[in-house]
Amino acid sequence: MTATRHPHDPHLPHPGSHPGGELPKAHQPRPGGSFDATAITFAAMGLFDGLSGDQRARVLLPHENSSRTHWNFLPESGRHGLPLRELDRHQEALAHRLIAESMSIPAYARVVQVMSNEHVLRELNLPVFGHVAATFRDPRGYFLTFFGQPQPDTTWGWRLVGHHLSVNITVVDGDLVSATPFLLGAEPARFGPFRILGEEEDTAFELLDGLTGAQKQQTVIHSRPPADFVTRTVSAIGDVEYPAYHGVGRRDAMITDDDRKALAYFRAHPRGIRAGDLSPAQRTYFDALLAHFVERARPGLVGHEMDRIAAAGGVDELHFAWAGGTSIEQPHYFRVQGPVTLVEFDNAEDNANHVHSVWRDPSNDFGADLLIQHHLEHDHHTGSSADDSP
């Protein structure tokens, strides 16, 4: 069937065009822009509109609020936001729709497992903490915060944070999305049927075990792992970062000043072996390891993340570094580092049965690069942009 052509009104611009011949710059599609931002925004709007007035007041902060970049995943008092435990069943389902819309389904499955693992940890902690364990080992003790009210074509973000979980999503101008920092942890890392981050860990060991002796010497930067992330949970990664002496609130994995120097992160000088120097078989494992973390993002956003890596030198220029033992029973740590990529994975506490993992972008955590681009490209004076003038 042939579509009917309707006469065009000569007084109106052609569909999809601008009187000057093209769309105003502020409305043109941009690299990395996609419908993914709209899907996330609509899911957030559904949740926000389903909250009571009191809940909205507690969940909402201005986008510029300084706590937006506070992503500490350990139990702490005085968190801002709305705990999942205070949502009714319908609201909680809407919250889970937002979580699932903001990432890949495998990543969402891991988020659900991390939160559910608090049930197991509560029971394991009872001999140590007694009844107090129930107050901070809570699968619904995760705090949701909106930074700016979610609306189409606006800049806003949301965070879900609690024990072993920190999800930080930033939407810029309604079409660009940042998904880092993205943290998942597990305690215990291995227990019964649970091994939440086992695929990431196994792939890293397969890569390590497939290296030659000379390559291992280059890859293993220190015999002792850090107690936690080398870059800790700083809001913005600096040019040089050193790990803490021990984990927060515990002393079972201590390191010295010499260890801290040996493990240090240097932004301009990645440690370990370069991906471009791996054999094809070794590179298969490296690419799979990188995918485990980058593919935490929504499928539609993965290509943009890989484009950012390509523009910063490509996957060949990423480096893989290891510290600690070389068997799963020994405390160990690895990282993947590049200009716009940082993956850290540590399993150093509780006799190598307590995992923390994070995917970060040293230049774009919390959408930092995207926000700079936004401010450079847009007129922020009151009223319409000059580009919107007919």
Side-chain angles (χ1 to χ4, degrees):
M1 180 177 178
T2 304
T4 302
R5 292 179 64 111
H6 296 282
H8 178 68
D9 186 337
H11 300 291
L12 295 176
H14 287 277
S17 70
H18 184 256
E22 62 181 29
L23 284 168
K25 185 175 181 181
H27 299 290
Q28 292 177 10
R30 291 181 291 178
S34 70
F35 183 74
D36 294 87
T38 302
I40 295 169
T41 300
F42 284 179
M45 290 165 57
L47 171 58
F48 188 83
D49 290 347
L51 300 176
S52 68
D54 174 69
Q55 288 173 320
R56 291 183 191 181
R58 295 170 61 197
V59 81
L60 183 62
L61 285 174
H63 185 260
E64 299 78 15
N65 189 279
S66 61
S67 69
R68 184 172 69 90
T69 57
H70 178 72
W71 59 284
N72 178 37
F73 61 97
L74 296 170
E76 64 179 30
S77 63
R79 283 197 190 276
H80 183 92
L82 189 64
L84 298 184
R85 74 170 76 91
E86 295 187 16
L87 302 180
D88 63 29
R89 291 179 65 86
H90 177 64
Q91 292 170 332
E92 188 170 15
L94 292 173
H96 275 267
R97 287 295 311 130
L98 172 59
I99 301 167
E101 284 286 3
S102 300
M103 61 192 68
S104 67
I105 293 302
Y108 171 63
R110 282 169 168 76
V111 168
V112 172
Q113 288 178 309
V114 167
M115 293 191 291
S116 296
N117 205 37
E118 291 296 283
H119 281 304
V120 177
L121 188 56
R122 179 187 62 242
E123 299 307 311
L124 293 175
N125 283 168
L126 279 175
V128 177
F129 295 110
H131 70 279
V132 178
T135 66
F136 64 95
R137 302 303 190 206
D138 181 359
R140 300 181 74 207
Y142 292 81
F143 285 73
L144 176 72
T145 308
F146 286 117
F147 296 97
Q149 184 174 340
Q151 297 282 16
D153 297 327
T154 63
T155 295
W156 65 280
W158 73 270
R159 177 182 67 208
L160 183 67
V161 65
H163 191 219
H164 284 154
L165 178 65
S166 187
V167 176
N168 302 272
I169 305 295
T170 305
V171 176
V172 178
D173 232 24
D175 68 342
L176 301 174
V177 179
S178 165
T180 61
F182 196 133
L183 177 141
L184 297 171
E187 178 191 0
R190 303 180 302 277
F191 189 82
F194 291 102
R195 193 164 174 235
I196 299 170
L197 296 166
E199 290 182 353
E200 294 88 332
E201 193 170 37
D202 287 345
T203 304
F205 271 107
E206 287 172 329
L207 173 56
L208 181 71
D209 292 342
L211 299 177
T212 66
Q215 288 175 317
K216 278 188 179 180
Q217 285 187 336
Q218 184 179 358
T219 300
V220 179
I221 61 173
H222 195 49
S223 60
R224 195 169 188 178
D228 208 332
F229 303 135
V230 170
T231 57
R232 306 179 312 284
T233 56
V234 295
S235 59
I237 299 173
D239 291 335
V240 181
E241 299 288 353
Y242 295 95
Y245 289 101
H246 53 78
V248 175
R250 55 192 305 161
R251 303 291 190 274
D252 61 324
M254 301 282 292
I255 61 173
T256 67
D257 281 327
D258 288 341
D259 296 326
R260 297 178 72 224
K261 292 176 183 176
L263 294 163
Y265 164 94
F266 296 94
R267 190 168 184 171
H269 301 285
R271 313 280 301 285
I273 191 167
R274 178 178 169 270
D277 294 333
L278 298 172
S279 71
Q282 295 165 342
R283 181 62 178 265
T284 298
Y285 290 123
F286 180 88
D287 290 346
L289 181 62
L290 178 64
H292 282 313
F293 292 89
V294 176
E295 291 179 4
R296 290 180 179 181
R298 274 180 64 100
L301 300 173
V302 173
H304 175 56
E305 295 296 338
M306 296 306 296
D307 287 344
R308 283 179 57 81
I309 293 174
V315 175
D316 279 354
E317 298 305 318
L318 299 181
H319 285 66
F320 174 67
W322 189 278
T326 55
S327 68
I328 198 166
E329 297 83 11
Q330 299 171 312
H332 53 274
Y333 162 92
F334 68 81
R335 70 174 173 247
V336 174
Q337 181 183 340
V340 297
T341 308
L342 179 64
V343 166
E344 291 194 79
F345 185 106
D346 75 89
N347 191 349
E349 297 176 324
D350 296 328
N351 297 312
N353 195 20
H354 185 159
V355 169
H356 297 157
S357 75
V358 69
W359 168 40
R360 301 194 67 174
D361 184 330
S363 65
N364 196 43
D365 278 347
F366 308 102
D369 267 1
L370 301 181
L371 289 167
I372 291 172
Q373 175 186 337
H374 167 81
H375 285 289
L376 289 175
E377 291 181 353
H378 290 75
D379 181 357
H380 291 280
H381 294 98
T382 302
S384 298
S385 167
D387 281 338
D388 289 333
S389 301

